[in-house]
Each structure stands twice: as C-alpha cells, then as structure tokens.
Amino acid sequence: MKDSGKVVVALLAGMAAGAVLGLLFAPEKGSDTRDKLNESLSDLGEAIKERAEQQIDQLNDLKEKVLAAVKAKASKVEEIVDDEIIEHA
C-alpha cells in the first residue's frame, strides 16, 4: 500500500475512534448513543468500502499497463529471434 493509502486508513481509524469516544461520553440515553454509534460505524464501513474499490480499480489499471508492456516486450523479442533464425538459416 502506498503512503497515501496508509494515511487514509489512519485518518479513517482516527475518525472512527473519535466518533466512538464522543458518543460514549455524550450525556444521552443509551439507545440514542447506540443508534449514533451504529450510524457512525456504518458510515465508516462505507468509506472503507469506497476506498477499497478505488484501490482495486488502481490495481486493475496497473495490471493492464504491466500486461501491455510485457506483451510489447515479448513481441519485440519474438521479432529479434525470428530475424536471427532467418539470418542463420
């Protein structure tokens, strides 16, 4: 994971911890606190899911670029080998 990914994960974890602590120390009824906590955790889950989808998309793009580069190099090597075979035949 790149440094930016680590920063985002740390930021999300910090936000979640802050939300949990804020809710736990808030002077509200337990049911209200639980509802807010569930909502905050749901939001955090969605944020993590979105970030994971972004990372997967980036990895797929990288995979396609690497495959294209490898195919191009393999094609060049094949041409060189064919030329060498023709020269020495």
Side-chain angles (χ1 to χ4, degrees), residues 47-75:
I48 290 171
K49 181 180 175 184
E50 289 174 12
R51 181 64 180 164
E53 289 172 355
Q54 291 172 353
Q55 292 294 319
I56 289 170
D57 289 343
Q58 288 177 353
L59 287 173
N60 282 332
D61 290 345
L62 177 62
K63 177 190 79 169
E64 293 301 321
K65 288 178 184 177
V66 169
L67 283 174
V70 168
K71 286 178 181 179
K73 294 289 184 183
S75 178

Short mmCIF file of all heavy atoms in Angstrom, two decimals, residues 47-75:
data_model
loop_
_atom_site.label_atom_id
_atom_site.label_comp_id
_atom_site.label_asym_id
_atom_site.label_seq_id
_atom_site.Cartn_x
_atom_site.Cartn_y
_atom_site.Cartn_z
N ALA A 47 -17.10 4.16 3.88
CA ALA A 47 -15.88 4.85 3.48
C ALA A 47 -14.76 3.86 3.17
O ALA A 47 -14.03 4.01 2.19
CB ALA A 47 -15.43 5.83 4.57
N ILE A 48 -14.65 2.83 3.99
CA ILE A 48 -13.63 1.80 3.77
C ILE A 48 -13.93 1.04 2.48
O ILE A 48 -13.03 0.76 1.69
CB ILE A 48 -13.54 0.85 4.98
CG1 ILE A 48 -12.93 1.60 6.17
CG2 ILE A 48 -12.73 -0.40 4.65
CD1 ILE A 48 -12.98 0.83 7.47
N LYS A 49 -15.20 0.74 2.25
CA LYS A 49 -15.60 0.02 1.04
C LYS A 49 -15.26 0.85 -0.20
O LYS A 49 -14.71 0.32 -1.18
CB LYS A 49 -17.09 -0.27 1.09
CG LYS A 49 -17.61 -1.02 -0.10
CD LYS A 49 -19.11 -1.27 0.02
CE LYS A 49 -19.66 -1.91 -1.21
NZ LYS A 49 -21.12 -2.09 -1.15
N GLU A 50 -15.56 2.15 -0.16
CA GLU A 50 -15.25 3.02 -1.30
C GLU A 50 -13.75 3.07 -1.54
O GLU A 50 -13.30 3.01 -2.70
CB GLU A 50 -15.80 4.42 -1.06
CG GLU A 50 -17.31 4.50 -1.13
CD GLU A 50 -17.84 5.88 -0.76
OE1 GLU A 50 -17.05 6.84 -0.66
OE2 GLU A 50 -19.06 5.98 -0.55
N ARG A 51 -12.98 3.19 -0.48
CA ARG A 51 -11.51 3.25 -0.61
C ARG A 51 -10.98 1.94 -1.19
O ARG A 51 -10.09 1.94 -2.04
CB ARG A 51 -10.87 3.56 0.74
CG ARG A 51 -9.38 3.67 0.71
CD ARG A 51 -8.93 4.83 -0.14
NE ARG A 51 -7.48 4.89 -0.13
CZ ARG A 51 -6.76 5.57 -0.97
NH1 ARG A 51 -7.34 6.30 -1.88
NH2 ARG A 51 -5.46 5.54 -0.89
N ALA A 52 -11.52 0.82 -0.73
CA ALA A 52 -11.09 -0.48 -1.24
C ALA A 52 -11.41 -0.60 -2.74
O ALA A 52 -10.58 -1.11 -3.51
CB ALA A 52 -11.76 -1.60 -0.46
N GLU A 53 -12.58 -0.11 -3.14
CA GLU A 53 -12.94 -0.15 -4.56
C GLU A 53 -11.99 0.71 -5.39
O GLU A 53 -11.59 0.31 -6.49
CB GLU A 53 -14.39 0.31 -4.74
CG GLU A 53 -15.41 -0.68 -4.24
CD GLU A 53 -16.83 -0.15 -4.24
OE1 GLU A 53 -17.03 1.05 -4.54
OE2 GLU A 53 -17.74 -0.93 -3.94
N GLN A 54 -11.60 1.86 -4.85
CA GLN A 54 -10.63 2.72 -5.55
C GLN A 54 -9.29 2.00 -5.70
O GLN A 54 -8.67 2.05 -6.77
CB GLN A 54 -10.43 4.03 -4.80
CG GLN A 54 -11.62 4.95 -4.82
CD GLN A 54 -11.43 6.16 -3.90
OE1 GLN A 54 -10.47 6.25 -3.15
NE2 GLN A 54 -12.37 7.09 -3.97
N GLN A 55 -8.85 1.36 -4.63
CA GLN A 55 -7.57 0.64 -4.68
C GLN A 55 -7.63 -0.51 -5.68
O GLN A 55 -6.67 -0.75 -6.42
CB GLN A 55 -7.19 0.11 -3.29
CG GLN A 55 -6.85 1.18 -2.28
CD GLN A 55 -5.58 1.92 -2.64
OE1 GLN A 55 -4.61 1.33 -3.09
NE2 GLN A 55 -5.59 3.23 -2.47
N ILE A 56 -8.75 -1.22 -5.72
CA ILE A 56 -8.91 -2.32 -6.67
C ILE A 56 -8.86 -1.80 -8.10
O ILE A 56 -8.22 -2.39 -8.97
CB ILE A 56 -10.22 -3.10 -6.39
CG1 ILE A 56 -10.07 -3.90 -5.10
CG2 ILE A 56 -10.58 -4.01 -7.56
CD1 ILE A 56 -11.36 -4.50 -4.59
N ASP A 57 -9.54 -0.67 -8.35
CA ASP A 57 -9.51 -0.07 -9.68
C ASP A 57 -8.08 0.32 -10.07
O ASP A 57 -7.66 0.09 -11.21
CB ASP A 57 -10.42 1.16 -9.75
CG ASP A 57 -11.90 0.79 -9.71
OD1 ASP A 57 -12.24 -0.39 -9.95
OD2 ASP A 57 -12.71 1.69 -9.43
N GLN A 58 -7.35 0.91 -9.13
CA GLN A 58 -5.97 1.30 -9.41
C GLN A 58 -5.10 0.08 -9.70
O GLN A 58 -4.26 0.10 -10.60
CB GLN A 58 -5.39 2.10 -8.24
CG GLN A 58 -5.97 3.49 -8.12
CD GLN A 58 -5.43 4.25 -6.92
OE1 GLN A 58 -4.72 3.71 -6.09
NE2 GLN A 58 -5.80 5.52 -6.83
N LEU A 59 -5.30 -0.99 -8.94
CA LEU A 59 -4.53 -2.22 -9.18
C LEU A 59 -4.88 -2.83 -10.53
O LEU A 59 -3.99 -3.32 -11.23
CB LEU A 59 -4.79 -3.23 -8.06
CG LEU A 59 -4.13 -2.91 -6.72
CD1 LEU A 59 -4.60 -3.90 -5.65
CD2 LEU A 59 -2.62 -2.93 -6.83
N ASN A 60 -6.15 -2.79 -10.92
CA ASN A 60 -6.54 -3.31 -12.23
C ASN A 60 -5.91 -2.49 -13.35
O ASN A 60 -5.46 -3.05 -14.35
CB ASN A 60 -8.05 -3.34 -12.37
CG ASN A 60 -8.68 -4.50 -11.63
OD1 ASN A 60 -8.06 -5.54 -11.44
ND2 ASN A 60 -9.91 -4.32 -11.19
N ASP A 61 -5.87 -1.17 -13.18
CA ASP A 61 -5.23 -0.32 -14.18
C ASP A 61 -3.74 -0.65 -14.29
O ASP A 61 -3.19 -0.74 -15.39
CB ASP A 61 -5.41 1.16 -13.83
CG ASP A 61 -6.84 1.64 -13.99
OD1 ASP A 61 -7.64 0.94 -14.64
OD2 ASP A 61 -7.15 2.73 -13.45
N LEU A 62 -3.10 -0.81 -13.15
CA LEU A 62 -1.68 -1.15 -13.13
C LEU A 62 -1.44 -2.50 -13.80
O LEU A 62 -0.51 -2.65 -14.60
CB LEU A 62 -1.14 -1.16 -11.70
CG LEU A 62 0.33 -1.56 -11.53
CD1 LEU A 62 1.24 -0.58 -12.26
CD2 LEU A 62 0.69 -1.63 -10.06
N LYS A 63 -2.30 -3.46 -13.52
CA LYS A 63 -2.18 -4.79 -14.12
C LYS A 63 -2.25 -4.69 -15.64
O LYS A 63 -1.45 -5.31 -16.35
CB LYS A 63 -3.28 -5.71 -13.59
CG LYS A 63 -3.27 -7.10 -14.22
CD LYS A 63 -4.49 -7.89 -13.86
CE LYS A 63 -5.63 -7.43 -14.72
NZ LYS A 63 -6.83 -8.24 -14.69
N GLU A 64 -3.21 -3.92 -16.13
CA GLU A 64 -3.36 -3.76 -17.58
C GLU A 64 -2.12 -3.12 -18.21
O GLU A 64 -1.66 -3.53 -19.27
CB GLU A 64 -4.61 -2.94 -17.91
CG GLU A 64 -5.91 -3.63 -17.55
CD GLU A 64 -6.10 -4.95 -18.26
OE1 GLU A 64 -5.74 -5.06 -19.45
OE2 GLU A 64 -6.61 -5.90 -17.64
N LYS A 65 -1.56 -2.12 -17.55
CA LYS A 65 -0.36 -1.46 -18.06
C LYS A 65 0.83 -2.42 -18.08
O LYS A 65 1.59 -2.46 -19.05
CB LYS A 65 -0.02 -0.24 -17.21
CG LYS A 65 -0.97 0.91 -17.41
CD LYS A 65 -0.62 2.08 -16.51
CE LYS A 65 -1.65 3.19 -16.65
NZ LYS A 65 -1.37 4.32 -15.74
N VAL A 66 0.98 -3.20 -17.02
CA VAL A 66 2.09 -4.16 -16.96
C VAL A 66 1.92 -5.23 -18.03
O VAL A 66 2.88 -5.58 -18.71
CB VAL A 66 2.18 -4.80 -15.54
CG1 VAL A 66 3.12 -5.98 -15.52
CG2 VAL A 66 2.62 -3.74 -14.53
N LEU A 67 0.71 -5.74 -18.18
CA LEU A 67 0.47 -6.76 -19.22
C LEU A 67 0.76 -6.22 -20.62
O LEU A 67 1.37 -6.91 -21.44
CB LEU A 67 -0.98 -7.26 -19.15
CG LEU A 67 -1.29 -8.25 -18.03
CD1 LEU A 67 -2.79 -8.54 -18.00
CD2 LEU A 67 -0.51 -9.53 -18.20
N ALA A 68 0.36 -4.99 -20.87
CA ALA A 68 0.62 -4.39 -22.18
C ALA A 68 2.12 -4.24 -22.41
O ALA A 68 2.62 -4.53 -23.50
CB ALA A 68 -0.08 -3.04 -22.29
N ALA A 69 2.84 -3.81 -21.38
CA ALA A 69 4.29 -3.65 -21.51
C ALA A 69 4.97 -4.99 -21.73
O ALA A 69 5.88 -5.11 -22.56
CB ALA A 69 4.85 -2.96 -20.26
N VAL A 70 4.55 -6.02 -21.00
CA VAL A 70 5.15 -7.35 -21.16
C VAL A 70 4.85 -7.90 -22.55
O VAL A 70 5.74 -8.47 -23.20
CB VAL A 70 4.63 -8.31 -20.05
CG1 VAL A 70 4.99 -9.75 -20.35
CG2 VAL A 70 5.18 -7.89 -18.69
N LYS A 71 3.64 -7.73 -23.03
CA LYS A 71 3.29 -8.21 -24.36
C LYS A 71 4.11 -7.50 -25.43
O LYS A 71 4.56 -8.12 -26.40
CB LYS A 71 1.80 -8.02 -24.63
CG LYS A 71 0.93 -9.01 -23.87
CD LYS A 71 -0.55 -8.76 -24.14
CE LYS A 71 -1.41 -9.74 -23.35
NZ LYS A 71 -2.85 -9.51 -23.55
N ALA A 72 4.31 -6.19 -25.26
CA ALA A 72 5.11 -5.43 -26.22
C ALA A 72 6.55 -5.93 -26.23
O ALA A 72 7.16 -6.12 -27.30
CB ALA A 72 5.06 -3.94 -25.89
N LYS A 73 7.12 -6.16 -25.04
CA LYS A 73 8.50 -6.66 -24.96
C LYS A 73 8.59 -8.06 -25.55
O LYS A 73 9.54 -8.37 -26.27
CB LYS A 73 8.99 -6.68 -23.51
CG LYS A 73 9.14 -5.33 -22.88
CD LYS A 73 10.30 -4.59 -23.45
CE LYS A 73 10.47 -3.26 -22.72
NZ LYS A 73 11.54 -2.46 -23.27
N ALA A 74 7.62 -8.91 -25.27
CA ALA A 74 7.63 -10.27 -25.80
C ALA A 74 7.54 -10.25 -27.32
O ALA A 74 8.22 -11.04 -28.00
CB ALA A 74 6.48 -11.07 -25.20
N SER A 75 6.76 -9.35 -27.85
CA SER A 75 6.65 -9.23 -29.31
C SER A 75 7.98 -8.81 -29.93
O SER A 75 8.39 -9.36 -30.95
CB SER A 75 5.56 -8.22 -29.65
OG SER A 75 5.45 -8.06 -31.04
#
